[in-house]
Amino acid sequence: MKHTLVAWMRDKPGVLNRVSGLLRRRNFNIDSLQVGHSEQLGISRMTFVVDGDEHMVDQVIKQMRKVIDVTRIDNISDRLSVVRELALVRVRTTPETRSEIIQIVEIYRGEVVDVALDSMVVQIIGSEDRVDSLISLMENFGVLEMVRTGRVAMLRGSSERRKRGSSVWSARSNGIEAATATDLFSRSGV
Amino acid sequence: MQKAIQNGRHDTTEPARTGERKQMKGSQMIWEALYREGVDLIFGCPGGAILPTYDALSEYEAEGKIHHVLVRHEQCAAHMADGYARATGRVGVCIATSGPGATNLVTGLATAQMDSIPMVAITGQVPTNLLGTDAFQEADVVGVTQPVVKHNYLVTDVNELPQIMKEAFYIAREGRPGVVLVDVCKDVQNATGWFDYGIPVELPGFEPWPEIDSTAVRRAAELINRAERPLVLAGHGVQLAGVSRELLEMVERAEIPVVTTLLGTGNIPESHPLSLGMGGMHGEAFANRAIQSCDVLIALGMRFDDRITGRLDRFAKQAKIIHFELDRAEVGKNIVPDVAVIGDLAQTLPGLLPQVVARRHQVWLQELDEWRTETTETDILNYEVDELIPPFVIRQLWHGSKNAKNGPAILVTDVGQHQMWESQYYTHDHAGQLLTSGGLGTMGFALPAAIGAQMGQPGRLVWAVAGDGGFQMTLQELAVLKQERDLPVKIAIINNGFLGMVRQWQQIFYERRYTGTPMLSPDYVKLADAYDIPALMVRKPEDVAAAIEQAQNTPGPFLIDFRVKEEVNVYPMVPPGAAVDDFIRRPKPSVVQGYSGVEPSW
């Protein structure tokens, strides 16, 4: 099963290497990984997708918490969240197919961001499924080049009271019995 | 020892030696930081990229603030700092140069990290303008060491150095202890900056002491009070938290037998009737049977390593498991407990104590006693063996050193058969009496770690027990014994002409094809003589006790080469991948312990 995790980390040299090194060393399977700035100066935000059972995700979270530069980690898989991915696809065009491609892109609410005589670059932002589905349609015309960002994700606003702007542990995940992953997630972080 | 540990824990107050803001060179900052952290001993070897720092050491050495021990190989600098930390509970510090100096440290760092030993390693690095250019003696030390340390730093700005040094000690010491490496570029050592050690440590991502959940402690107490066949499995955490007294109080009150891990040896006195000794791969049959038949297993400060659990899906199946552990990543990693108590044992165990009611478990203890008697009957020591066998040597070592002056003797073992025999046949009555590489299993650990331990505990008797294989991996450090003014480490080499443990596996699992295990040793007495260290060779059982006595009565170092019978195995043995009660029992000596006729190839 795929789990989407969001981690905050101090923006220090080598921090990405620490995290990726840990994931490799502990033999965790990563589907995608995306890092960028967060709303807080000096704190980077990473969204990554791990493929594995509950036990594995439980370990990913616990081991990540031990990385000194990681200040917080949440599993948002089972919670209401906005998940987006961006893809750029260079697709082969001919005078005959060009308008058909543009139509499809419009249906997907994508954008044509570059046009050449024999190709164009299509941009799509959406859920992973939507990106997948547009790309598979584009494959019929010939995909020359493609780049995807991997998932970025954010929790939806809710009635649940949240400690806003805290990128630091709340040390609450103590005494978890039979430390099941779901149990842990509901207690970690937020 | 325990007091020393306590001093380092939950230390949120500023160290006494803070002082004011001063301008100084990076090289001096390193020593000033070490001095303010209370470090008076450092193990290392100089080289080009760390030279400015060594130059700044002269002042601190002249004032008697810091003593530097020159090692013969950097791996041993790390082992010595490790042995020092294990024996004193303080942070051990080692230092090396860039490139090969730093890569040589790696084995020692991994050894300490696997066993949760607080240690800070300082390495020189090429100047910042040469970073990444494959300069002479450049290695990506932060990259190389990252998987084997708790945290590491590359220092490229002299003004960050004081803060980083302070953080390094804080991280190494607080929470589950570990290794922190600080890699300092050469130009940073030469640069001048402001030194201020009063700065607070702010690490939002570091959570050394999790809050304790009193509900979990209460649930643990309820389970313990209801148990009919309870068992404590005590690990290294008990010693790190300094709670062996509380542990003894609890098990005596509720009459709970105790099995320890290798690093938990001595958590309760092994001569105590409730002690079952070590469990796991080479644990006694009664200890492993106890694990498999208890109804409540109280795991204290241990991590369910494969050497203690054997086959996981058949480990303690009937038991409710309570896991007391500081590092939450260890909870649920190998074994999912029924109750997890996360937090410092120094708080959770005293919190648990008043809730544990006094009880008797006569039936359970009687059963264990029957198993124990059955084991004793087949014990090799109960048979007449006229040759020199290793268990006999270890037992004599115990007889000879049990009444050591200035506190209990410290036993430092290497890795292999002798390590297991030592743990089986030496009766450890004190936590921290046995220092050994449990997690990484590093051969060559004994001699350098014993040197570190002896320097940390100058008045105590320290025995390094090594096999002929492991001893030859680091024997160059004999020179350190002499250079450090005849450091009185006593060395026992259990010399059987083989890489014994590997040979045992070849005998049992590879039909006696002894590939790469027969080994030639130098004449250790002559070798010791070359270093001007007194030594003896012992071949006969009747000479063992006298030799040990002579070693202990001789001031300074002493080496004994015990030429033991070659093919003796460590029993009982749980084959790798088997359940812990699925062991190969100790055969009668005449059957298997006999000489096979296979001569070492030399």
Side-chain angles (χ1 to χ4, degrees), chain B residues 383-396:
Chain B
Y383 288 84
E384 286 283 327
V385 183
D386 48 11
E387 292 154 294
L388 189 59
I389 55 165
F392 176 79
V393 176
I394 301 293
R395 201 66 190 158
Q396 291 304 310

Side-chain angles (χ1 to χ4, degrees), chain B residues 221-477:
Chain B
E222 280 165 12
L223 267 182
I224 295 168
N225 290 338
R226 278 209 311 266
E228 290 303 323
R229 305 156 73 86
L231 181 73
V232 164
L233 192 47
H236 194 199
V238 172
Q239 190 206 325
L240 289 172
V243 288
S244 16
R245 199 176 311 145
E246 286 83 350
L247 172 62
L248 188 62
E249 194 183 330
M250 178 182 85
V251 298
E252 280 182 341
R253 187 190 305 164
E255 211 172 60
I256 307 173
V258 180
V259 172
T260 67
T261 65
L262 177 61
L263 291 186
T265 297
N267 277 338
I268 76 162
E270 288 186 335
S271 53
H272 195 283
L274 286 170
S275 170
L276 304 179
M278 180 182 72
M281 185 172 266
H282 291 295
E284 292 296 350
F286 53 86
N288 285 337
R289 275 187 176 172
I291 291 173
Q292 294 299 64
S293 27
C294 64
D295 63 356
V296 172
L297 184 70
I298 308 144
L300 300 173
M302 52 84 67
R303 60 187 175 90
F304 294 105
D305 178 73
D306 59 272
R307 283 298 187 266
I308 195 100
T309 60
R311 206 174 127 174
L312 271 177
D313 60 354
R314 282 178 54 196
F315 176 79
K317 276 331 258 184
Q318 304 173 31
K320 293 262 186 226
I321 295 175
I322 308 170
H323 196 177
F324 285 77
E325 173 60 51
L326 177 58
D327 180 355
R328 67 160 62 72
E330 295 298 351
V331 178
K333 186 177 83 178
N334 297 331
I335 293 278
V336 178
D338 296 277
V339 177
V341 186
I342 294 166
D344 183 10
L345 265 182
Q347 291 178 25
T348 52
L349 198 55
L352 174 76
L353 254 182
Q355 303 180 47
V356 174
V357 297
R359 277 200 62 177
R360 292 286 158 265
H361 296 106
Q362 278 309 324
V363 184
W364 172 226
L365 289 185
Q366 212 166 348
E367 197 171 348
L368 291 173
D369 269 344
E370 280 165 25
W371 294 343
R372 204 198 294 246
T373 313
E374 184 198 87
T375 292
T376 315
E377 280 166 2
T378 59
D379 197 312
I380 191 166
L381 288 185
N382 289 333
Y383 288 84
E384 286 283 327
V385 183
D386 48 11
E387 292 154 294
L388 189 59
I389 55 165
F392 176 79
V393 176
I394 301 293
R395 201 66 190 158
Q396 291 304 310
L397 188 59
W398 172 69
H399 282 298
S401 62
K402 64 183 171 188
N403 296 320
K405 290 187 286 273
N406 305 325
I410 296 174
L411 276 288
V412 188
T413 58
D414 221 82
V415 171
Q417 285 187 311
H418 73 278
Q419 180 190 29
M420 294 298 107
W421 282 316
E422 195 281 344
S423 112
Q424 290 175 339
Y425 289 99
Y426 197 100
T427 307
H428 309 85
D429 277 342
H430 304 272
Q433 205 180 355
L434 169 62
L435 315 183
T436 194
S437 166
L440 197 67
T442 310
M443 284 173 70
F445 176 81
L447 178 59
I451 291 172
Q454 184 77 77
M455 299 210 70
Q457 300 280 1
R460 306 250 306 257
L461 171 63
V462 176
W463 270 99
V465 184
D468 44 334
F471 185 71
Q472 288 187 73
M473 288 193 174
T474 52
L475 59 75
Q476 75 280 355
E477 304 303 321

Side-chain angles (χ1 to χ4, degrees), chain A residues 10 17-18 25 55 59 62-63 65-71 168-169 171 173-178, chain B residues 146-147 151-152 171 203-207 211-213 219 327-329 331-333 336-337 340 342:
Chain A
R10 293 203 296 174
N17 193 22
R18 283 182 207 285
R25 180 168 99 76
H55 176 253
Q59 270 294 303
K62 286 170 169 174
Q63 296 292 350
R65 291 185 74 163
K66 285 171 69 174
V67 178
I68 308 280
D69 287 332
V70 173
T71 57
V168 181
W169 305 125
S173 45
N174 191 17
I176 296 151
E177 291 167 26
Chain B
Q146 195 168 281
H151 197 55
N152 58 17
I171 294 170
L203 294 164
F206 184 44
E207 195 196 4
E211 260 176 60
I212 283 137
D213 178 3
R219 296 214 39 193
D327 180 355
R328 67 160 62 72
V331 178
K333 186 177 83 178
V336 178
I342 294 166

Side-chain angles (χ1 to χ4, degrees), chain B residues 577-596:
Chain B
V580 285
D581 54 353
D582 187 9
F583 33 67
I584 306 170
R585 293 298 295 271
R586 196 175 267 124
K588 293 198 171 159
S590 57
V591 182
V592 161
Q593 306 283 8
Y595 182 56
S596 69

Side-chain angles (χ1 to χ4, degrees), chain A:
Chain A
M1 192 194 153
K2 294 192 178 174
H3 299 262
T4 308
L5 306 180
V6 180
W8 287 258
M9 52 202 66
R10 293 203 296 174
D11 188 11
K12 295 258 173 178
V15 63
L16 187 58
N17 193 22
R18 283 182 207 285
V19 170
S20 60
L22 167 80
L23 297 169
R24 176 196 54 77
R25 180 168 99 76
R26 298 274 174 189
N27 206 14
F28 299 136
N29 293 322
I30 296 298
D31 268 23
S32 74
L33 188 152
Q34 185 280 338
V35 203
H37 295 298
S38 74
E39 75 284 0
Q40 248 182 304
L41 195 69
I43 299 280
S44 300
R45 178 172 172 139
M46 176 191 278
T47 311
F48 62 109
V49 180
V50 290
D51 193 4
D53 56 16
E54 301 261 297
H55 176 253
M56 181 179 174
V57 179
D58 176 47
Q59 270 294 303
V60 172
I61 290 177
K62 286 170 169 174
Q63 296 292 350
M64 285 278 283
R65 291 185 74 163
K66 285 171 69 174
V67 178
I68 308 280
D69 287 332
V70 173
T71 57
R72 173 179 159 188
I73 178 163
D74 284 352
N75 184 347
I76 62 166
S77 316
D78 301 333
R79 301 160 70 181
L80 286 175
S81 51
V82 185
V83 181
R84 291 292 179 269
E85 186 174 3
L86 180 144
L88 295 174
V89 188
R90 187 190 304 280
V91 59
R92 178 180 288 124
T93 57
T94 60
E96 295 79 49
T97 59
R98 190 174 293 132
S99 59
E100 194 185 348
I101 293 173
I102 292 173
Q103 274 179 15
I104 295 175
V105 170
E106 271 170 10
I107 293 168
Y108 276 83
R109 269 175 275 142
E111 232 179 288
V112 175
V113 289
D114 182 58
V115 182
L117 280 178
D118 54 355
S119 72
M120 61 169 79
V121 177
V122 169
Q123 167 194 300
I124 167 97
I125 299 170
S127 67
E128 219 171 356
D129 286 351
R130 222 168 71 160
V131 174
D132 283 347
S133 140
L134 178 67
I135 289 169
S136 70
L137 279 171
M138 290 298 119
E139 272 165 359
N140 296 315
F141 304 98
V143 171
L144 299 170
E145 201 183 348
M146 182 182 79
V147 58
R148 299 175 69 153
T149 58
R151 282 187 212 178
V152 291
M154 189 175 277
L155 284 180
R156 289 183 186 276
S158 70
S159 53
E160 183 188 344
R161 258 181 64 189
R162 284 180 67 198
K163 203 168 140 196
R164 289 184 64 86
S166 161
S167 305
V168 181
W169 305 125
S170 55
R172 280 170 55 200
S173 45
N174 191 17
I176 296 151
E177 291 167 26
T180 63
T182 24
D183 190 4
L184 183 94
F185 304 150
S186 62
R187 294 178 194 219
S188 74
V190 189

Side-chain angles (χ1 to χ4, degrees), chain B residues 27-96:
Chain B
S27 51
Q28 196 192 341
M29 286 181 182
I30 293 175
W31 300 111
E32 194 57 33
L34 292 178
Y35 173 65
R36 291 182 188 202
E37 291 291 346
V39 175
D40 52 11
L41 197 55
I42 179 163
F43 306 89
C45 185
I50 195 74
L51 259 177
T53 300
Y54 266 83
D55 190 46
L57 168 63
S58 57
E59 190 191 316
Y60 287 81
E61 264 199 325
E63 290 171 16
K65 287 176 173 172
I66 295 175
H67 175 63
H68 174 265
V69 178
L70 175 66
V71 300
R72 300 301 185 267
H73 186 287
E74 288 88 349
Q75 180 191 338
C76 298
H79 288 330
M80 285 180 201
D82 182 337
Y84 172 85
R86 287 180 205 241
T88 60
R90 301 167 69 190
V91 180
V93 185
C94 57
I95 184 164

